[in-house]
Amino acid sequence: MDVTTDAGAPWLIVGLGNPGPEYAMNRHNVGFMVADLLAERIGGRFKRAGKAQAQVVEGRIGPPGPASRRVVLAKPMSYMNLSGGPVNALRDFYKVPVAQIVAIHDELDIDYGTLRLKLGGGDNGHNGLKSMTKAMGRDYHRLRFGIGRPPGRMQVADYVLKDFASAERKELDYFVDRAADAVECLLAEGLERAQSSYNS
């Protein structure tokens, strides 16, 4: 696994989702929700990123001084299954090592609201990760946000493209807030510390 980092390069924090208001509250768009909150925290607004098919915010995460990290927050404006192209274009433009990329995405195989941070690994059938891995290899960080499995015989594709249920929405803001905290902890204190604090 290539974990080469570059202190002079920014971290590229990618929220995965689908563009357009009709998808905004879908389970599949939780990556966008976390990216939006991180942008709010650093006082930035997403804007189109040159030739890359993405929206970005540039800023710093962490306390003022040497502990703060330069970041590029990104939301690919392709559809989920084409996320790799825009992310790879941003990686090239900002000269970001793959190990300094964090993909924030929904995860079927863990309970709703549960978080798991990891470096590298498979895509577990997630089309956004599949596209990213095809474009640049698997050695990037992931923040997996649990959405649980679909009830009964509902198809996975239908489930992830549905809005969070009303019962889930009561806790959604809390879980999104916690996910944003986990990203900040990863950048400030490293993967092991963030895993011990946020993985459950």
Side-chain angles (χ1 to χ4, degrees):
M1 184 179 292
D2 181 7
V3 290
T4 307
T5 58
D6 176 358
W11 281 74
L12 178 57
I13 314 296
V14 181
L16 292 179
N18 286 309
E22 67 272 34
Y23 298 106
M25 290 305 295
N26 286 182
R27 293 182 179 93
H28 224 17
N29 268 44
V30 75
F32 274 18
M33 297 174 199
V34 178
D36 284 338
L37 179 58
L38 286 166
E40 194 180 304
R41 288 183 179 185
I42 66 174
R45 300 182 82 146
F46 279 99
K47 62 181 188 298
R48 201 79 186 186
K51 292 179 182 175
Q53 201 179 355
Q55 291 184 352
V56 298
V57 173
E58 296 180 49
R60 300 191 83 87
I61 282 179
S68 79
R69 297 281 180 267
R70 193 157 66 95
V71 296
V72 178
L73 304 174
K75 297 192 295 186
M77 291 288 109
S78 60
Y79 285 94
M80 177 72 86
N81 60 350
L82 299 172
S83 300
V87 175
N88 207 31
L90 292 172
R91 178 181 76 90
D92 286 344
F93 181 77
Y94 289 103
K95 298 179 171 49
V96 178
V98 173
Q100 280 174 227
I101 296 172
V102 184
I104 308 167
H105 65 93
D106 57 305
E107 176 61 60
L108 287 159
D109 283 340
I110 52 180
D111 291 338
Y112 174 59
T114 298
L115 301 177
R116 298 271 168 79
L117 283 149
K118 62 185 285 197
L119 174 61
D123 56 59
N124 205 22
H126 192 287
N127 288 331
L129 296 183
K130 202 175 289 184
S131 179
M132 284 183 61
T133 297
K134 186 177 177 184
M136 60 195 186
R138 64 181 64 233
D139 298 338
Y140 53 91
H141 288 82
R142 300 102 190 275
L143 174 59
R144 302 159 71 199
F145 186 112
I147 60 169
R149 280 267 159 196
R153 296 184 178 179
M154 186 187 292
Q155 294 295 311
V156 164
D158 294 332
Y159 177 70
V160 298
L161 293 176
K162 279 198 172 357
D163 288 359
F164 283 101
S166 55
E168 293 171 324
R169 282 201 296 271
K170 291 174 183 170
E171 296 182 293
L172 183 59
D173 286 349
Y174 168 76
F175 289 138
V176 168
D177 195 66
R178 195 162 180 272
D181 290 346
V183 172
E184 292 183 351
C185 183
L186 169 65
L187 269 57
E189 302 183 54
L191 179 60
E192 283 188 21
R193 181 63 184 269
Q195 285 174 324
S196 66
S197 298
Y198 292 95
N199 282 16
S200 48

